[in-house]
């Protein structure tokens, strides 16, 4: 089990290059590879006896890519988020470890905290901010947000992820570590 | 043994707030958060953001 897991993990860089080439979009390529690796892990038995792991994994990945291309053909590609990429190194681990926040609950009692939060929200790209506010402030479900913004659920989850990552960084700089 | 990078772990920690994760996703996320302080902090901060944003506008400007 451990061997199988580490040998498929070793193919990740190759698969990522393969997916990036087809999808021309780093975030989408990562999604496809992650889904393929999880599917492969769950299907260890069906690999048993086959000779070439890379060929087998590439086959799984191809299906994931086709799915993504079909879903994505109706919308524009997701642009990259430089600020988010900059947080991680080439292995996608933290460049700088995120520090603990002091007294977040106490902040909720302070007016200035909400002023800082609003300022950070204003700094988000428009579509990202809309998706985030629809989700977290209005409490809408992802499918309602997708419909409203005319994007796929996957795109929606990427926007929400980016919003959360940008807001936590902004609050860290302008509130918690100030 | 570790399958998720920190970027993937934080992305799943975010998606956990928006959809029901699959069994493998839940397991690999739990495994990562158990050994990575940075990502566990971020996961908690995502939940905190939800609480904070809900309260926006509930108080006087
Ligand atoms: Zn981590």
């Amino acid at each position: 089990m451990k061997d199988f897991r580490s040998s498929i993990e070793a193919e990740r860089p190759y698969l990522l290059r393969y997916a990036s080439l087809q999808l021309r979009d780093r975030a989408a390529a990562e999604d496809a590879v992650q889904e393929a690796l999880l599917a492969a892990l769950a299907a260890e038995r069906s690999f048993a006896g086959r000779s070439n792991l890379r060929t087998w994994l590439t086959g799984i990945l191809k299906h994931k890519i086709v799915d993504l291309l079909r879903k994505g053909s109706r919308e524009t590609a997701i642009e990259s988020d430089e600020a988010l990429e900059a947080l991680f190194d080439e292995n996608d681990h933290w460049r700088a470890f995120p520090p603990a926040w002091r007294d977040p609950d106490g902040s909720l009692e302070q007016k200035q905290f909400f002023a800082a939060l609003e300022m950070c929200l204003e700094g988000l790209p428009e579509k990202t901010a809309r998706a985030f506010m629809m989700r977290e402030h209005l409490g809408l479900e992802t499918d309602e947000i997708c419909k409203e913004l005319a994007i796929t659920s996957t795109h929606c989850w990427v926007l929400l992820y980016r919003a959360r990552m940008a807001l936590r960084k902004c609050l860290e700089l302008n509130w918690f570590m100030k | 043994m570790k399958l998720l990078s920190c970027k993937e772990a934080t992305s799943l920690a975010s998606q956990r707030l928006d959809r029901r994760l699959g069994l493998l996703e839940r397991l690999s996320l739990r495994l990562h958060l158990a050994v990575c302080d940075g990502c566990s902090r971020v996961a908690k901060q995502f939940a905190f953001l939800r609480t904070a944003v809900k309260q926006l506008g509930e108080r006087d400007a």
Side-chain angles (χ1 to χ4, degrees):
Chain A
M1 178 65 185
K2 187 177 195 285
D3 282 347
F4 183 68
R5 201 186 266 261
S6 39
S7 35
I8 68 173
E9 189 56 34
E11 296 295 329
R12 184 189 287 272
Y14 168 81
L15 296 170
L16 202 54
R17 273 201 310 280
Y18 180 91
S20 304
L21 213 61
Q22 325 242 352
L23 290 163
R24 311 260 158 187
D25 176 343
R26 168 100 186 164
E30 279 169 1
D31 282 353
V33 170
Q34 185 61 20
E35 279 186 30
L37 290 183
L38 287 171
L41 205 59
E44 178 176 357
R45 281 214 185 137
S46 75
F47 174 68
R50 291 178 205 227
S51 51
N52 195 314
L53 183 62
R54 180 172 286 185
T55 311
W56 182 67
L57 288 172
T58 310
I60 299 176
L61 178 60
K62 253 185 220 160
H63 283 108
K64 301 290 177 193
I65 291 175
V66 171
D67 283 351
L68 272 180
L69 288 174
R70 283 205 182 117
K71 267 190 245 162
S73 59
R74 286 171 296 127
E75 62 175 307
T76 48
I78 308 173
E79 320 106 72
S80 70
D81 181 336
E82 313 284 332
L84 178 66
E85 299 300 329
L87 295 174
F88 298 100
D89 65 18
E90 63 281 6
N91 297 316
D92 285 345
H93 289 100
W94 296 107
R95 253 179 229 289
F97 225 54
W101 286 353
R102 78 183 126 75
D103 195 21
D105 292 336
S107 302
L108 296 174
E109 304 304 321
Q110 297 180 54
K111 255 186 197 171
Q112 301 97 305
F113 168 76
F114 287 93
L117 178 57
E118 277 181 36
M119 185 203 76
C120 288
L121 281 165
E122 275 161 27
L124 293 177
E126 194 197 333
K127 212 171 193 176
T128 306
R130 282 186 66 200
F132 182 76
M133 290 305 274
M134 279 192 256
R135 178 74 190 118
E136 300 293 51
H137 192 63
L138 302 174
L140 298 183
E141 292 302 326
T142 314
D143 49 348
E144 297 173 278
I145 301 169
C146 300
K147 220 180 281 169
E148 181 67 28
L149 296 178
I151 55 179
T152 61
S153 339
T154 309
H155 191 161
C156 195
W157 292 320
V158 170
L159 290 184
L160 292 170
Y161 171 55
R162 288 177 177 183
R164 291 182 178 117
M165 289 293 277
L167 286 174
R168 66 154 295 282
K169 186 73 188 167
C170 178
L171 285 174
E172 190 170 289
L173 293 174
N174 295 289
W175 181 262
F176 290 107
M177 297 294 143
K178 221 172 169 174
Chain B
M1 181 68 182
K2 201 176 71 175
L3 199 64
L4 294 183
S5 66
C6 290
K7 192 174 173 190
E8 290 155 346
T10 50
S11 166
L12 278 183
S14 170
Q15 289 178 53
R16 176 167 78 171
L17 298 173
D18 306 318
R19 67 175 174 95
R20 192 172 158 72
L21 298 184
L23 180 63
L24 278 168
E25 290 176 317
R26 286 205 300 278
L27 287 177
S28 42
L29 178 60
R30 205 181 305 159
L31 193 74
H32 186 99
L33 295 184
V35 297
C36 181
D37 288 343
C39 290
S40 345
R41 275 177 198 152
V42 168
K44 285 196 197 101
Q45 292 165 359
F46 286 166
F48 169 80
L49 280 175
R50 170 164 285 183
T51 311
V53 171
K54 279 217 179 84
Q55 292 182 24
L56 259 186
E58 276 176 16
R59 45 199 74 225
D60 300 334

